[in-house]
């Protein structure tokens, strides 16, 4: 039998899934630090907290495999305790407790005080924005709301995150000041649906007002918007984007599909005609805007004709940034009552076709950038390159700008002017210049 040492516990927080989970892990770590706990992110520790994702099949599988990996370490004696939190735990807690009983405790998405208690810490209500950020020092996520009120047929997020709940403008401004004081220069605004912001607190869509307050924070130079919803989009946001240089000409708006029959079954509250008109209005209101979207192929009942409609529309709209996912049949969603009748290999083929089209569009758009100079933020050095982004690119998901470190030096975490010398499908190659 192993004798436990008397050394101080070290808590390792492991984050899976999306940027919203990254944010939640950072809040947890901030609370633990305020309780004088030693906490690390995805490093060695004798106590492990796994923040899981339960969104689609692949993410659930990764979460389960990670839990099993740490349970094995616990059984081998290299880890003392394993706790599980996040979306998978919220959604499948009884099943997980039955199938993987050697976890010390499972917690849901709104169980932070109880999780802290299990870790020997108190939940400190007075903490606003005291996060331990895990992203590169120059950018941070700012979660402005939790949950979602949308009825999308395929989505399990409301099951795991509950109803939409906005944070107050005052708290978000305070949090932003604290991030800026730590050297954060770029805010990535996230929520399940940014466009719903403020409806619960202020009885109106209030994203534009929030942006007007956030741009006043000294030190913040870029603010970008993630996860907007097409139905009921607040157009005053575009006016603020045009007026305020700090707000990147960038919008992430997951559209999911465009064939009317699929949109109706998805319960998206819009049509092909309305969506196309909205995108045209975006581009007219903010010349040079980068629009990022994500699409789902293989939704129940998606015909070859529906897919052809989607393919043609992607070619026609020429999105600057686009990702494509295969449909995942999720229990307790409205779409789960439908037959998952598009074969997996057809789903994969359709996704590949969409991304092939997008790859060509991206290559063509990138060629137009050769010879131009852009203000870029340098995120990191990797191998022989410094890697940065333009204001038209979000971390982790979009194009990157590569600077040859054997020829040039640029400072990580700083803005520099880079002249594009060469362009590939999804990357730009550039060299620093002095303006």
């Amino acid at each position: 039998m192993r004798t436990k040492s008397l050394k101080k516990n070290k808590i390792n927080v492991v984050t899976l899934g999306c940027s919203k989970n990254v944010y939640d892990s950072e809040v947890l770590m901030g609370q633990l630090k305020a309780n004088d706990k030693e906490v690390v992110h995805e490093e060695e520790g004798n106590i492990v907290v796994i923040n899981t994702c339960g969104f689609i099949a692949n993410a659930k599988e990764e979460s389960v495999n990670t839990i099993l990996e740490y349970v094995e370490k616990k059984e081998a004696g290299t880890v003392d305790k394993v706790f599980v939190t996040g979306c998978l735990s919220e959604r499948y807690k009884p099943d997980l407790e039955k199938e993987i009983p050697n976890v010390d405790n499972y917690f849901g998405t709104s169980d932070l005080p109880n999780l802290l208690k299990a870790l020997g810490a108190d939940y400190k209500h007075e903490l606003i924005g005291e996060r331990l950020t895990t992203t590169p020092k120059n950018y941070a996520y700012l979660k402005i709301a939790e949950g979602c009120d949308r009825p999308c047929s395929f989505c399990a997020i409301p099951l795991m995150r509950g109803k939409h709940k906005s944070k107050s403008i005052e708290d978000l401004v305070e949090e932003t000041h604290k991030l800026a004081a730590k050297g954060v220069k770029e805010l990535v605004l996230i929520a399940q649906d940014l466009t719903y912001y403020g409806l619960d607190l202020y009885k109106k869509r209030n994203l534009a007002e929030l942006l007007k307050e956030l741009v006043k924070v000294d030190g913040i130079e870029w603010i970008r918007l993630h996860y907007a919803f097409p139905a009921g989009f607040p157009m005053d946001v575009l006016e603020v984007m045009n007026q305020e240089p700090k707000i990147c000409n960038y919008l992430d708006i997951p559209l999911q599909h465009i064939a009317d029959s699929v949109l109706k079954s998805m319960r998206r509250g819009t049509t092909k005609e309305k969506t196309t008109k909205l995108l045209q209005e975006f581009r007219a209101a903010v010349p040079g805007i980068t629009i990022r979207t994500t699409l789902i192929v293989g939704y129940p009942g998606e015909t070859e004709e529906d897919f052809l409609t989607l393919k043609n529309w992607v070619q026609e709209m020429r999105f600057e940034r686009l990702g494509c996912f295969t449909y995942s049949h999720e229990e307790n969603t409205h779409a789960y009552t439908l037959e998952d009748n598009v074969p997996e290999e057809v789903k994969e083929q359709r996704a590949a076709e969409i991304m092939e089209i997008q790859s060509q569009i991206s290559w063509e758009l990138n060629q137009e950038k050769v010879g131009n100079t852009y203000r870029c933020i340098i995120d990191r050095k990797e191998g022989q390159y410094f890697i940065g982004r333009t204001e038209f690119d979000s971390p982790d998901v979009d194009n990157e700008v590569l600077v040859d470190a054997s020829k040039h030096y640029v400072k990580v975490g700083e803005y520099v002017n880079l002249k594009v010398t060469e362009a590939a499908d999804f990357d730009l190659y550039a060299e620093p210049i002095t303006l």
Side-chain angles (χ1 to χ4, degrees), residues 113-390:
N114 291 328
L115 171 56
L116 288 165
K117 194 173 179 182
L119 294 166
D122 295 321
Y123 179 68
K124 296 184 180 294
H125 291 272
E126 67 274 16
L127 295 185
I128 297 175
E130 275 83 358
R131 288 154 50 197
L132 279 187
T133 51
T134 59
T135 48
K137 65 177 184 177
N138 47 284
Y139 72 83
Y141 296 107
L142 184 68
K143 184 154 68 167
I144 69 170
E146 184 58 274
C148 188
D149 289 353
R150 303 288 187 177
C152 303
S153 66
F154 54 85
C155 187
I157 285 173
L159 300 172
M160 301 179 286
R161 293 283 178 174
K163 290 286 194 181
H164 178 95
K165 189 177 179 185
S166 304
K167 294 184 184 178
S168 72
I169 289 177
E170 293 75 19
D171 282 357
L172 291 167
V173 168
E174 183 177 342
E175 189 170 344
T176 300
H177 276 292
K178 288 175 179 172
L179 290 169
K182 288 165 61 173
V184 169
K185 297 178 171 71
E186 175 183 4
L187 285 183
V188 183
L189 266 57
I190 55 172
Q192 263 72 43
D193 177 8
L194 286 184
T195 61
Y196 232 70
Y197 176 77
L199 271 175
D200 51 333
L201 286 182
Y202 307 109
K203 310 308 173 200
K204 63 172 185 169
R205 294 176 190 269
N206 223 22
L207 180 57
E209 292 305 313
L210 172 64
L211 292 173
K212 287 175 186 174
E213 294 305 314
L214 294 179
V215 296
K216 296 175 185 175
V217 178
D218 289 340
I220 300 297
E221 298 189 45
W222 281 358
I223 299 173
R224 70 176 67 248
L225 307 180
H226 266 245
Y227 318 125
F229 194 89
F233 185 89
M235 300 301 282
D236 56 349
V237 168
L238 300 178
E239 293 171 27
V240 181
M241 190 180 281
N242 246 340
Q243 293 160 4
E244 296 289 350
K246 285 187 179 184
I247 301 172
C248 297
N249 289 352
Y250 178 101
L251 183 66
D252 185 325
I253 182 163
L255 296 169
Q256 315 303 8
H257 213 281
I258 203 59
D260 284 339
S261 59
V262 179
L263 288 173
K264 186 175 181 181
S265 182
M266 284 181 166
R267 303 166 92 184
R268 294 288 288 169
T270 189
T271 62
K272 179 184 178 186
E273 184 182 352
K274 285 180 183 174
T275 302
T276 304
K277 183 171 180 285
L278 181 69
L279 296 174
Q280 289 166 346
E281 287 173 356
F282 286 173
R283 285 175 167 157
V286 185
I289 190 173
T290 283
I291 300 173
R292 173 176 181 78
T293 197
T294 44
L295 303 172
I296 296 171
V297 291
Y299 180 84
E302 182 191 55
T303 64
E304 281 294 336
E305 186 182 354
D306 294 330
F307 177 62
L308 187 60
T309 298
L310 180 64
K311 241 174 42 165
N312 290 340
W313 185 74
V314 167
Q315 284 179 314
E316 175 193 335
M317 297 312 298
R318 293 178 67 80
F319 288 98
E320 287 79 11
R321 309 283 180 262
L322 183 146
C324 187
F325 298 90
T326 55
Y327 169 76
S328 180
H329 207 43
E330 296 297 316
E331 58 265 67
N332 298 320
T333 62
H334 183 76
Y336 198 67
T337 62
L338 306 174
E339 185 188 353
D340 186 13
N341 59 357
V342 180
E344 199 58 41
E345 61 271 21
V346 175
K347 291 179 185 177
E348 296 288 350
Q349 178 58 35
R350 288 177 180 177
E353 284 185 49
I354 293 289
M355 289 315 297
E356 183 59 37
I357 293 167
Q358 183 58 29
S359 177
Q360 181 62 30
I361 291 169
S362 183
W363 185 85
E364 290 168 5
L365 293 174
N366 278 351
Q367 297 313 305
E368 296 171 9
K369 294 182 169 67
V370 174
N372 293 345
T373 298
Y374 297 91
R375 185 173 185 244
C376 299
I377 188 79
I378 305 300
D379 285 333
R380 65 191 187 281
K381 184 173 184 285
E382 200 172 278
Q384 70 175 78
Y385 290 102
F386 290 102
I387 298 176
R389 292 173 291 110
T390 70

